[in-house]
Amino acid sequence: MRSPATNRRSWSWPTPKATDSASPADACWRRTTNSPPDQEPPGTEPPDQEPPRTKPLGTERALRRRWTAHAVSETGSAVGYAALPIVAVLVLGVPDFQVSLLTVLAGLVSALLALPLGPWIEHHRKLPVMIAADLVRVVVVLSVAAAAWFGLLTYWQLCLVAVLQTVARMAFDAAGVAQLRTLVPADRRTATNGRFETALWTANTVGPPVGGLLISWLGATATMLLDAVSYAISALLLRGLDEPEPPPRPAERNRRRDLTAGWRHILAHPGLAALFGNSMIFGGCVLAASPLLTVLVLRDLRFPAWQYGLITGVAGLAGVAGSMLAAPLVQKWGGRRVLLLAGVGRNLWLGLVPPAPASTTGLVLIAAADFLLVFFAGVFGPVFATYRMDATGDAHLSRVVMAWSVSSRTVPPLFIAAAGVLATMAGARVALAVLAVVLLGGIALLPWRAEQGGVDRKS
């Protein structure tokens, strides 16, 4: 996945000064091409430029407000994570196929609809997009509770809500990453991304059990009300931010180039291209392994449900711990080393699951594999987020994030389908073993070469 020789950029991991006017990727580009600083090679876009910084960025007050909005929103989403399928089953009584179709539509249709939003977000202010995305989610989630209350809820409304909710999430992320890059100084990005990742892992560990209890006590739509409230609080908190953000950019005349700019930027950067392939393999294998692990633990090995819950709960705590350790590890060993270590670590452990016996030893093997996989994933997340921020300037970041999100919702279903067919033919153990081998192969796609991984930045 190398870029053409005429448009190759050797990205490094610099520590730009707070007063630098050019983005990290642009500053490196100027050092690693033969063109003059004020010219681009033929056929490429203008270099990314950071907005003028008229006042210090990343103040604690603004960061606390931004982090609180993120934490509240993610907690609400985690509490209501399974709300739509549960409403479909308990309120509407739809068959299994339609429950699965609900998830498929949310992923594939939302990816198609969100694709043109990347360029649009890139060329507009980011905070209004984030607030609008929160408000859209408030409306669509509340519509389910209201329709259920009046007896008007239908399956196709649930499908529409699932799609719109996912599109709004993708738009929020595309704008939010770009806004956070401008808000946070380069030397604080890993620590800040670690805080955000910790909030995400904490919410995903605590939220689903709380949501299950609320559903059993108050009904299937109760968690959706809390989810809507969390989005409303997030919108209110974001509305109070007055920090600088990336300026809107003029749209390209060539719409096709604008739509594909995110992928072109990724593939033209050796390190991002490698990590893109690695991420697609990791995400596809892990998502495909999740239902197979449920089948193996509960049906084949006959472990009780509480032990399966213990495995997932401990793994969630591993993600929290990993994300909290990311910044200290980078401070000690440097970003590139930690990125590679965590990238290898998260791909190693699935192979412990297929041979697990139906005994305490098997339970320990599965729990250890899940714990270690999630722990290294927790370390990897903040370091990767910082890598992508530093490798991508403001002129491309929203489109890069959107391209990543679209791919992350269209590639994994292929893995899930293939693993499901294999499990039907040969059993869950064989399918998990094949996924473990594929994961090991994904290690080769990490940015091993120095020109891919760049110089260590300890921040």
Side-chain angles (χ1 to χ4, degrees), residues 74-213:
E74 291 296 343
T75 301
S77 297
V79 169
Y81 171 72
L84 286 180
I86 290 175
V87 168
V89 172
L90 297 184
V91 177
L92 299 180
V94 302
D96 295 348
F97 171 76
Q98 287 184 301
V99 177
S100 300
L101 182 62
L102 183 66
T103 303
V104 172
L105 287 175
L108 297 181
V109 177
S110 62
L112 181 64
L113 294 177
L115 179 58
L117 290 180
W120 187 88
I121 293 168
E122 198 81 82
H123 309 314
H124 291 78
R125 293 182 59 230
K126 307 303 184 287
L127 275 175
V129 173
M130 298 162 66
I131 295 170
D134 274 337
L135 295 179
V136 166
R137 289 184 283 185
V138 170
V139 172
V140 298
V141 171
L142 285 179
S143 73
V144 175
W149 178 267
F150 290 106
L152 302 175
L153 186 64
T154 66
Y155 172 74
W156 294 110
Q157 181 183 348
L158 289 184
C159 291
L160 180 62
V161 168
V163 169
L164 293 178
Q165 196 173 5
T166 306
V167 170
R169 172 60 185 259
M170 296 169 72
F172 185 97
D173 290 345
V177 174
Q179 189 270 342
L180 190 64
R181 182 186 188 276
T182 308
L183 180 65
V184 181
D187 61 351
R188 297 177 58 187
R189 284 175 185 161
T190 302
T192 300
N193 285 322
R195 290 171 59 188
F196 277 67
E197 194 85 0
T198 299
L200 176 63
W201 281 109
T202 303
N204 287 333
T205 301
V206 177
V210 172
L213 289 175

Side-chain angles (χ1 to χ4, degrees), residues 259-287:
L259 285 174
T260 60
W263 284 284
R264 287 189 290 109
H265 184 87
I266 292 169
L267 298 178
H269 188 292
L272 284 179
L275 284 170
F276 182 76
N278 175 271
S279 295
M280 293 305 109
I281 289 175
F282 178 79
C285 287
V286 169
L287 290 176

Side-chain angles (χ1 to χ4, degrees), residues 179-346:
Q179 189 270 342
L180 190 64
R181 182 186 188 276
T182 308
L183 180 65
V184 181
D187 61 351
R188 297 177 58 187
R189 284 175 185 161
T190 302
T192 300
N193 285 322
R195 290 171 59 188
F196 277 67
E197 194 85 0
T198 299
L200 176 63
W201 281 109
T202 303
N204 287 333
T205 301
V206 177
V210 172
L213 289 175
L214 289 175
I215 289 173
S216 64
W217 291 343
L218 303 176
T221 59
T223 58
M224 303 198 76
L225 294 175
L226 287 179
D227 198 9
V229 169
S230 74
Y231 294 136
I233 294 173
S234 174
L236 289 173
L237 289 170
L238 293 174
R239 190 172 181 272
L241 283 178
D242 58 357
E243 291 294 318
E245 60 174 274
R249 309 276 176 174
E252 289 190 27
R253 294 182 180 180
N254 189 323
R255 181 172 176 79
R256 182 178 297 178
R257 285 182 58 84
D258 214 10
L259 285 174
T260 60
W263 284 284
R264 287 189 290 109
H265 184 87
I266 292 169
L267 298 178
H269 188 292
L272 284 179
L275 284 170
F276 182 76
N278 175 271
S279 295
M280 293 305 109
I281 289 175
F282 178 79
C285 287
V286 169
L287 290 176
S290 181
L292 298 178
L293 180 63
T294 304
V295 171
L296 178 68
V297 171
L298 297 180
R299 189 190 68 187
D300 296 350
L301 301 180
R302 299 186 182 278
F303 288 131
W306 72 266
Q307 290 181 338
Y308 177 71
L310 179 64
I311 292 172
T312 57
V314 171
L317 295 177
V320 174
S323 61
M324 294 178 68
L325 287 173
L329 290 175
V330 169
Q331 187 67 33
K332 182 176 181 179
W333 291 334
R336 181 170 181 267
R337 291 180 181 177
V338 176
L339 184 73
L340 294 174
L341 174 65
V344 171
R346 68 178 189 162

